[in-house]
Amino acid sequence: MIAGIADIIILALVLGYCGYIIYRKHQDKKSGKGGCAGCSGCSGSCAGCSASLYQKKK
Amino acid sequence: MAVKIALAGNPNCGKTTMFNALTGANQYVGNWPGVTVEKKEGKVKSRKGKEEVIVTDLPGIYSLSPYTLEEVVSRDYLLNEDPDVIIDLVDATNIERNLYLTTQLIETGIPVVIALNMSDLLAKNNIKIDVKRLSMLIGCPIIETSALKGTGLNEVIDEAVKVAKKSEHKLPGEIFEEDIEKAVSDVQGMLPDSISENKKRWYAVKLLERDSKVKENKKFPHAVLNQAETEAKELEKVHDDDMESIITDGRYNYIQKLVASTVKKAKGQLTVSDKIDRIVTNRILGIPIFLIVMAVVYYISVTTIGTIVTDWTNDVFVVAIQDAVSSGLGAIGAGDLVTGLVVDGIIGGVGAVLGFVPQMAILFLFLSLLEDCGYMVRIAFVMDRIFRHFGLSGKSFIPLLISSGCGIPGIMASKTIEQDNDRRLTIMTATFIPCGAKLPVIALMGGVMASYATGSYVAGGFVAPLMYFIGILAVLVSAIILKKTKPFSGKPAPFVMELPQYHIPSAKTVLMHVWERLKGFIIKAGTILFLACVVMWFLGGFGFADGGFGMVEDSNNSLLAVIGGVIAPLFAPLGFGEWQPVAASLSGFTAKEAIVSTMGVLANVAGDTEDAVNVAQGVAAWFPTTIAAFSFLLFNLLDSPCLAAIATMAQQMQSRKWFWFAIAFQNIFAYLVCLSVYQIGSFVMGGAFGIGTAAGFIVAIIFLVLLFRPDPYKNQKVYTKTSVQAAR
């Protein structure tokens, strides 16, 4: 059971951060940066995936 | 007003190195075509008191034909965005091949300055170039540069600015034989005035070549199109060849004359790269060397150095953080639910993945070294010989190589494959190669398997290279099976590639590359995996018990157990019929690392020793035998990749039918392979013969029949769309 103020604050922070992550991913997808969860193995540059951006912009 | 410079050149000629050096931007430098698809811009630094210069780094291309996206991107930019000048980077050690693009760049009518790059390697390769004479013959200024050493860069920019500021520019000169030049001139004369004078030659040549994209993008009067067609047919009759080949031959004849009078090579002398390639790309030694190199790389990354650093990281970071946070939360009066969420769910889950960062860093370091020195690109050449036997070309191996980092750019790289059937096959099988995200899963399950075999969790180092080779084997098996079906039949396309010179890896480039990859991994752990851990902790800790909904003591009563339990019986024949591994596999669709973080959450790891080891100890209970653990690992290697990669597959397939076929193929293939491996493996290791065992043998026999049956389409010709059209 949720007990004190500390629990409420921590839960709010965790759930708030989760909501922020979902919001950012949605915004990224809308602006055309989406489609990638942040590859852990790629070079960090989106150059290899960027053709999709070029096509969309065209 | 700023001077706009376009930086063009073949792949691997040092373009991005020069761009980085000129602009100070951090760009990734790779060694295979297609790694830079997006154009990048930057201001040239150190231009105080001088005019501003903006450089655009175009993708590495061999020509301005309309066949690949890189070529289309480059020529669209050159024709529509009108840079003031082009700096054409020419690899001085491969001048003949590089000048082919130069002749086309000159034809665009934009002034060209040639940067003769890698000129510091000329003496080493026993090549002498008469730069003054070459410049006079080709009609462009030439500056000798070394992008790696930073020499000649200011001079080439100053020359480019000088050329850009000239009020008059020469029109592109004639390079073909008389009859071809007459045809070009005739078509040129009929072009409308809406096309600027300096560009008319380029359009005339493209119309003669029947360039489809030029005709699509610009409306030409019928008279012009008819004239071009008439001239083309006449030339084809005389030369007994198609127009594209006639023009190509014409360019190379011109280049050969240039090179004959300006380039002197010492005969019979092999360069250092040639000497190394005699061994590395040797017909017999090439494959064994590749196998040994990759085995050593993965073994050292996952065990020895990798494990030592990973264990140290876990002891210092994860466990210490868990203890500290637990104490801290207790001190501020946080309840059990919140403490469980933060310590077991978030730190336990994310920490289980972050514990593998050292191993991944070492793996990325090795892969970057191999890439930067020039070896990785040779693997595509070596594998071409093997792949051709199975109906694929080495061009299909490049996406697989890229997929060993991440499946998404690997799938994107398949667009360089012109044939539809081979491209579809490559997209479907690219993710069989273990990506960076799967490495924590391999390391974890390798530890579990090693514990059964040797009693020690840290002896699982051989599992990583084994999974890499199994991935390649899965691609080949899929290729053999599918190539014998009508939609995938056809001979592989010829594979021509340029092997860059070997060079000592640049420490800065390698470390930058490693950091970029690690940064992506850590950011992913802090975002997607964080979210997945919170969701999994909730689903694994809450459920319906004692008539109500709330936190459950026994995770077997949790929501996750219900969800996983529905599907788990399907996986019992594969050796992992518990709900925990099934739930972990499902979570892998968000990100493959989530398999480890979910297992970390479900195993409720909260020890004070090696966290990774504790996770392995925790999950071992779900896999009663080594073969069951191996089956789980194999399934997660071969099944559909993460959702982001699935979305990329959908985009690249360009067909809903083929997309769903690919998903079905990957999952059915994974299921049947694991069924066969687990059932036959269990029987061989002393298990009883049952229905499952019979099913395993039947599946194995079906695979063998599909592999060894005669190819009914052996001599069929396949005509397919080009990759640019298909990728739209």
Side-chain angles (χ1 to χ4, degrees):
Chain A
M1 288 286 287
I2 296 173
I5 297 281
D7 287 334
I8 294 168
I9 292 171
I10 292 166
L11 263 179
L13 284 171
V14 169
L15 295 176
Y17 181 60
C18 291
Y20 171 71
I21 294 168
I22 296 169
Y23 170 75
R24 278 306 305 262
K25 287 295 167 195
H26 178 67
Q27 289 295 101
D28 284 348
K29 203 168 180 184
K30 267 170 70 175
S31 64
K33 276 197 267 178
C36 168
C39 300
S40 62
C42 76
S43 61
S45 157
C46 292
C49 306
S50 63
S52 61
L53 287 178
Y54 181 78
Q55 293 286 24
K56 277 181 190 165
K57 279 175 190 167
K58 271 201 110 169
Chain B
M1 203 155 125
V3 175
K4 282 175 17 183
I5 297 178
L7 202 56
N10 286 182
N12 302 310
C13 68
K15 231 168 14 56
T16 306
T17 306
M18 182 172 282
F19 180 74
N20 287 350
L22 287 172
T23 61
N26 268 342
Q27 299 295 336
Y28 168 56
V29 179
N31 252 342
W32 48 74
V35 76
T36 314
V37 174
E38 194 176 55
K39 65 177 169 76
K40 298 178 205 62
E41 278 186 358
K43 260 190 229 171
V44 175
K45 54 184 186 181
S46 311
R47 297 281 306 169
K48 284 185 190 155
K50 298 183 186 178
E51 53 281 286
E52 192 178 75
V53 175
I54 296 171
V55 176
T56 303
D57 180 19
L58 298 182
I61 48 174
Y62 291 108
S63 77
L64 291 178
S65 67
Y67 298 129
T68 68
L69 200 54
E70 291 89 345
E71 287 163 340
V72 170
V73 162
S74 294
R75 65 189 226 168
D76 279 356
Y77 174 79
L78 293 173
L79 292 172
N80 300 328
E81 298 195 41
D82 265 331
D84 298 309
V85 61
I86 300 172
I87 292 179
D88 175 25
L89 250 86
V90 166
D91 177 0
T93 60
N94 263 310
I95 194 166
E96 212 168 312
R97 210 163 297 154
N98 281 246
L99 285 178
Y100 183 80
L101 175 64
T102 309
T103 61
Q104 297 196 19
L105 291 174
I106 291 170
E107 256 165 27
T108 62
I110 302 167
V112 174
V113 171
I114 295 174
L116 197 61
N117 204 32
M118 303 189 204
S119 44
D120 52 315
L121 296 178
L122 285 172
K124 212 186 271 186
N125 291 322
N126 301 307
I127 302 170
K128 280 190 187 145
I129 300 178
D130 185 347
V131 174
K132 270 199 184 121
R133 183 170 166 75
L134 181 60
S135 172
M136 182 202 71
L137 289 172
I138 208 168
C140 298
I142 300 180
I143 309 291
E144 289 177 82
T145 61
S146 169
L148 204 61
K149 295 190 172 160
T151 56
L153 302 185
N154 289 333
E155 289 82 348
V156 79
I157 292 293
D158 288 341
E159 184 65 34
V161 169
K162 193 170 108 187
V163 163
K165 281 174 153 182
K166 276 189 189 165
S167 53
E168 260 185 55
H169 297 292
K170 276 194 302 188
L171 289 175
E174 294 182 355
I175 65 170
F176 301 114
E177 286 170 18
E178 211 179 306
D179 57 343
I180 303 171
E181 284 295 345
K182 186 176 175 307
V184 170
S185 173
D186 288 344
V187 174
Q188 201 172 324
M190 291 186 70
L191 288 172
D193 291 335
S194 55
I195 296 175
S196 56
E197 202 59 39
N198 61 332
K199 290 190 168 50
K200 279 186 175 175
R201 181 180 169 84
W202 193 85
Y203 280 106
V205 171
K206 288 300 161 194
L207 285 173
L208 283 170
E209 284 182 314
R210 300 189 184 95
D211 189 309
S212 53
K213 284 209 80 68
V214 160
K215 289 180 188 174
E216 265 173 41
N217 293 340
K218 251 184 165 50
K219 295 287 168 234
F220 292 96
H222 283 298
V224 174
L225 295 173
N226 290 340
Q227 177 71 18
E229 188 58 31
T230 307
E231 298 278 4
K233 280 191 171 137
E234 187 55 40
L235 286 169
E236 282 169 345
K237 210 165 138 189
V238 167
H239 291 266
D240 191 28
D241 211 340
D242 64 278
M243 261 326 286
E244 259 195 86
S245 302
I246 293 168
I247 297 289
T248 304
D249 281 344
R251 292 193 199 282
Y252 273 116
N253 287 338
Y254 168 69
I255 291 165
Q256 269 160 18
K257 285 184 196 145
L258 282 178
V259 167
S261 66
T262 57
V263 180
K264 300 273 178 277
K265 280 186 190 177
K267 281 185 189 154
Q269 293 242 3
L270 292 174
T271 63
V272 171
S273 290
D274 290 335
K275 287 175 189 166
I276 297 171
D277 278 336
R278 285 188 102 178
I279 302 166
V280 161
T281 59
N282 180 272
R283 209 175 180 80
I284 296 165
L285 295 175
I287 304 277
I289 289 174
F290 165 61
L291 293 176
I292 292 166
V293 165
M294 297 314 290
V296 166
V297 162
Y298 275 90
Y299 181 74
I300 294 176
S301 305
V302 177
T303 59
T304 60
I305 304 168
T307 301
I308 292 166
V309 183
T310 287
D311 291 348
W312 179 83
T313 305
N314 287 334
D315 286 345
V316 171
F317 283 114
V318 179
V319 174
I321 289 173
Q322 275 186 314
D323 288 344
V325 169
S326 188
S327 306
L329 288 174
I332 61 170
D336 288 343
L337 181 143
V338 167
T339 305
L341 168 63
V342 174
V343 175
D344 295 333
I346 296 170
I347 300 174
V350 176
V353 175
L354 286 179
F356 292 102
V357 164
Q359 287 173 331
M360 295 183 75
I362 299 190
L363 175 68
F364 294 156
L365 179 67
F366 277 118
L367 292 178
S368 299
L369 283 169
L370 289 176
E371 199 180 287
D372 206 48
C373 76
Y375 176 68
M376 286 299 248
V377 71
R378 269 127 177 111
I379 294 171
F381 176 77
V382 166
M383 294 305 285
D384 180 62
R385 205 174 285 135
I386 296 282
F387 268 43
R388 208 155 279 280
H389 282 301
F390 301 106
L392 290 173
S393 85
K395 217 169 191 183
S396 292
F397 194 77
I398 294 172
L400 302 183
L401 209 52
I402 297 173
S403 291
S404 65
C406 174
I408 294 174
I411 293 166
M412 297 295 298
S414 68
K415 65 183 177 295
T416 60
I417 301 169
E418 286 88 1
Q419 286 175 305
D420 284 345
N421 52 350
D422 287 349
R423 189 176 59 255
R424 278 196 288 261
L425 184 56
T426 306
I427 292 169
M428 281 166 52
T429 56
T431 55
F432 285 168
I433 305 294
C435 63
K438 290 177 187 171
L439 192 68
V441 185
I442 294 172
L444 176 65
M445 297 311 296
V448 172
M449 288 158 61
S451 72
Y452 283 121
T454 66
S456 161
Y457 287 93
V458 296
F462 286 110
V463 177
L466 176 67
M467 299 318 287
Y468 187 78
F469 298 134
I470 286 175
I472 296 177
L473 188 63
V475 172
L476 295 177
V477 166
S478 302
I480 296 171
I481 292 173
L482 290 172
K483 274 287 187 179
K484 290 176 184 172
T485 60
K486 192 160 186 227
F488 293 93
S489 58
K491 288 195 168 59
F495 179 46
V496 178
M497 67 177 296
E498 184 162 348
L499 298 180
Q501 301 286 322
Y502 283 105
H503 58 266
I504 297 186
S506 153
K508 187 184 167 194
T509 307
V510 167
L511 290 173
M512 189 178 73
H513 189 190
V514 172
W515 168 240
E516 288 292 340
R517 280 176 152 171
L518 279 181
K519 195 173 79 171
F521 180 73
I522 293 167
I523 288 172
K524 191 178 187 182
T527 53
I528 299 292
L529 297 183
F530 181 100
L531 190 58
C533 287
V534 169
V535 171
M536 285 299 158
W537 173 86
F538 173 75
L539 290 174
F542 282 76
F544 293 96
D546 301 325
F549 180 82
M551 252 185 122
V552 292
E553 286 287 327
D554 182 0
S555 58
N556 287 309
N557 295 327
S558 67
L559 290 171
L560 197 57
V562 171
I563 297 167
V566 168
I567 314 168
L570 268 177
F571 293 93
L574 273 58
F576 50 96
E578 305 284 337
W579 65 267
Q580 293 94 335
V582 172
S585 287
L586 285 175
S587 73
F589 285 111
T590 55
K592 287 297 176 185
E593 300 98 321
I595 295 172
V596 172
S597 62
T598 300
M599 284 180 156
V601 171
L602 295 178
N604 285 320
V605 174
D608 59 353
T609 54
E610 298 149 339
D611 196 59
V613 173
N614 280 343
V615 175
Q617 283 170 334
V619 306
W622 307 328
F623 307 101
T625 58
T626 313
I627 198 78
F630 179 67
S631 174
F632 175 79
L633 179 58
L634 194 58
F635 183 80
N636 285 286
L637 171 70
L638 300 178
D639 71 346
S640 287
C642 62
L643 286 171
I646 289 174
T648 311
M649 275 172 57
Q651 186 202 47
Q652 289 302 305
M653 279 293 194
Q654 296 288 311
S655 158
R656 205 172 276 187
K657 176 184 97 175
W658 283 113
F659 165 68
W660 285 112
F661 176 82
I663 297 293
F665 178 81
Q666 287 168 341
N667 290 292
I668 294 170
F669 183 80
Y671 190 92
L672 292 177
V673 166
C674 292
L675 174 73
S676 204
V677 163
Y678 175 72
Q679 294 293 341
I680 296 174
S682 297
F683 175 67
V684 164
M685 286 165 85
F689 189 99
I691 296 171
T693 322
F697 274 108
I698 290 169
V699 167
I701 290 166
I702 291 171
F703 267 119
L704 289 171
V705 166
L706 289 173
L707 280 170
F708 292 106
R709 70 177 177 128
D711 183 357
Y713 304 100
K714 203 172 176 181
N715 296 312
Q716 180 181 293
K717 281 188 185 173
V718 178
Y719 297 96
T720 58
K721 295 183 287 185
T722 62
S723 63
V724 173
Q725 286 172 301
R728 271 214 217 110

